[in-house]
Amino acid sequence: MTGPTPPLTEWLTADEATAYLRFPSRDALYQAVHRGQIPVRRIGRRLRFRRSELDAHLKAA
């Protein structure tokens, strides 16, 4: 038997979002952000991606 699955974090880093969206590279993610295709938030100096917004984006695509 396996234990309980760990809770998913709501906010993803660029590397996590790249893997989550199955982009080939972080540069590809940044290009999609620049074109306005991927929702992103700036928290301090860092870019963060909200999992629920990425899910909505994937469903709309």
Side-chain angles (χ1 to χ4, degrees), residues 2-43:
T2 61
T5 58
L8 298 174
T9 59
E10 178 65 13
W11 294 99
L12 303 176
T13 65
D15 288 335
E16 291 169 334
T18 298
Y20 189 72
L21 296 171
R22 297 184 179 164
F23 278 23
S25 68
R26 192 170 25 171
D27 286 338
L29 174 70
Y30 289 149
Q31 289 172 2
V33 166
H34 182 71
R35 290 190 300 266
Q37 297 172 321
I38 302 296
V40 65
R41 305 285 177 100
R42 184 171 293 278
I43 299 177

Side-chain angles (χ1 to χ4, degrees), residues 33-60:
V33 166
H34 182 71
R35 290 190 300 266
Q37 297 172 321
I38 302 296
V40 65
R41 305 285 177 100
R42 184 171 293 278
I43 299 177
R45 295 181 62 186
R46 302 181 189 274
L47 297 179
R48 292 292 183 253
F49 301 83
R50 185 173 245 162
R51 186 182 304 271
S52 59
E53 291 176 347
L54 297 180
D55 288 341
H57 172 76
L58 289 173
K59 288 180 184 175

